Amino acid sequence: EETDWAKRQVDRFVGGPRSTRGWLEEIARERPEVIFYPEVGMDPATCTLATLRLAPLQVAGWGHPVTTGLPNMDLYVSGELLEAADAEAHYREQLVRLPGTGVCTELNVPQVQPWDAPARPADVVRFALCQQPIKFDPEDDRLLARIAKATGPSEFWLASPSRQAWASERLRARLAAAFRAEGLDPDAHLRVTPWMRPGPFQDYLDQMDVYLDCPAFSGYTTAWQAIHRGLPIVTLEGQFQRQRLAAGLLRQIRIPDGVAATRDQYLDLAVRAGHEARDPAQRRARREAIAGAAPHADGNRDAIVAFEQALIGALASRR
């Protein structure tokens, strides 16, 4: 559906899988003045093309939130709320800080469908761990176990990618060891659910109490969906952009009280949010406040205008 939308917005659309040579021939025919890579780092074809000088101006976005490291990538487009004061030193490219989080999103809520989950035991707090397994740094395993120990009866829900179930199995085994080291029974706390389509994922977010962002590699899209369901987020704002996505989002909606500066503060915020969720009135009030503020994350047209001006200015300087 998103591809169909994109086709309607442009003068010419070329898609489908192609060899590297096929893409190079297509680009040679088009002779673009600007090439914008929304991400460089996840797709092999994109990574290959990005190593080459194919246009006077070449730009990377933060679909993969780290510098490309490439000498022929000219600009890196980010958001002012996603970067530390000294962030220019983190990029080989020229850093462009767009207003807010640097993106303009529109909410299109899918129809909520039931998430197939077991009944919740009384007094249990449910923590959502929504990120891909690769984002969980072993250094943070004990932090999650400490949250469980301080919270009491609780469940930590991991989502298992359909194509990489082995990664979730290894992550759970790793977390289990950390929980046992804290004197906890992993089977009492750790849960794994299959990867979900949008409808059931909305219900999953509704049934969770606290969203725990990965300290080593933050999430944006899942956090964006979570705030629109009113789910409280706890995140640790680190030095690099990849550690600041959810924090920037919370700052944009003007509810930054879930942003921690240290691991100990992250622990305290998570435990406090868990205890708060046990009180139905506090839980309802908190979720209503977050859902009410969530629209501030959307419709950031200032970022679009700033992006246009950055491209026009950079291209003019190269001419």
Side-chain angles (χ1 to χ4, degrees), residues 60 67-70 73-76 88 91-95:
T67 180
T68 67
L70 299 172
M73 196 62 63
D74 305 306
L75 305 181
Y76 186 95
E88 279 76 10
Y91 298 95
R92 181 156 188 167
E93 309 87 351
Q94 176 186 341
L95 176 62

Side-chain angles (χ1 to χ4, degrees), residues 252-268:
Q252 182 151 315
I253 69 170
R254 303 162 198 167
I255 302 185
D257 55 355
V259 179
T262 66
R263 279 181 166 75
D264 285 342
Q265 188 180 12
Y266 182 98
L267 168 66
D268 292 341

Side-chain angles (χ1 to χ4, degrees), residues 3-212:
T3 303
D4 291 338
W5 178 90
K7 289 179 180 178
R8 298 192 297 269
Q9 312 306 314
V10 296
D11 296 325
R12 184 165 179 263
F13 183 94
V14 178
R18 294 166 184 262
S19 66
T20 300
R21 180 178 294 277
W23 282 117
L24 290 173
E25 291 172 351
E26 188 66 45
I27 293 170
R29 283 192 293 270
E30 188 68 22
R31 297 179 62 83
E33 291 184 284
V34 182
I35 295 181
F36 172 53
Y37 294 92
E39 66 84 17
V40 177
M42 294 186 287
D43 180 76
T46 300
C47 291
T48 303
L49 295 173
T51 64
L52 305 172
R53 171 60 70 177
L54 303 174
L57 178 63
Q58 303 194 151
V59 184
W62 60 264
H64 187 57
V66 65
T67 180
T68 67
L70 299 172
N72 54 13
M73 196 62 63
D74 305 306
L75 305 181
Y76 186 95
V77 180
S78 183
E80 60 187 5
L81 293 179
L82 305 182
E83 299 290 353
D86 61 348
E88 279 76 10
H90 304 162
Y91 298 95
R92 181 156 188 167
E93 309 87 351
Q94 176 186 341
L95 176 62
V96 177
R97 301 170 187 252
L98 301 181
T101 58
V103 296
C104 183
T105 49
E106 295 180 359
L107 182 64
N108 182 16
V109 181
Q111 182 177 0
V112 179
Q113 298 172 329
W115 171 53
D116 185 18
R120 180 203 298 248
D123 211 32
V124 164
V125 176
R126 281 180 166 171
F127 291 99
L129 304 173
C130 297
Q131 307 307 315
Q132 293 273 359
I134 195 172
K135 290 188 174 184
F136 289 82
D137 192 318
E139 187 176 342
D140 300 318
D141 292 355
R142 182 169 174 264
L143 178 58
L144 296 177
R146 290 173 64 201
I147 292 171
K149 190 171 185 177
T151 303
S154 54
E155 296 175 347
F156 291 71
W157 281 88
L158 299 161
S160 178
S162 55
R163 296 184 182 180
Q164 298 165 328
W166 60 268
S168 293
E169 293 168 2
R170 291 189 184 183
L171 174 59
R172 190 195 181 284
R174 213 180 68 205
L175 291 175
F179 275 59
R180 280 192 291 269
E182 290 292 323
L184 301 173
D185 177 8
D187 293 336
H189 295 278
L190 298 177
R191 303 286 184 268
V192 180
T193 182
W195 204 258
M196 291 157 276
R197 295 186 60 80
F201 186 60
Q202 305 304 303
D203 190 37
Y204 165 89
L205 294 172
D206 289 346
Q207 295 194 42
M208 293 292 114
D209 296 309
V210 185
Y211 174 113
L212 293 180

Side-chain angles (χ1 to χ4, degrees), residues 208-289:
M208 293 292 114
D209 296 309
V210 185
Y211 174 113
L212 293 180
D213 193 38
C214 285
F217 204 131
S218 180
Y220 189 92
T221 302
T222 47
W224 175 77
Q225 294 178 78
I227 61 171
H228 281 287
R229 305 306 296 183
L231 182 60
I233 293 176
V234 176
T235 184
L236 177 57
E237 189 174 46
Q239 179 183 9
F240 301 105
Q241 186 200 32
R242 61 183 176 271
Q243 300 168 307
R244 302 171 69 90
L245 301 177
L249 182 63
L250 292 178
R251 295 189 190 284
Q252 182 151 315
I253 69 170
R254 303 162 198 167
I255 302 185
D257 55 355
V259 179
T262 66
R263 279 181 166 75
D264 285 342
Q265 188 180 12
Y266 182 98
L267 168 66
D268 292 341
L269 291 175
V271 173
R272 188 185 311 163
H275 289 318
E276 182 183 77
R278 288 195 171 104
D279 183 306
Q282 290 189 60
R283 184 182 191 274
R284 181 169 54 254
R286 169 67 70 173
R287 295 190 75 120
E288 288 176 354

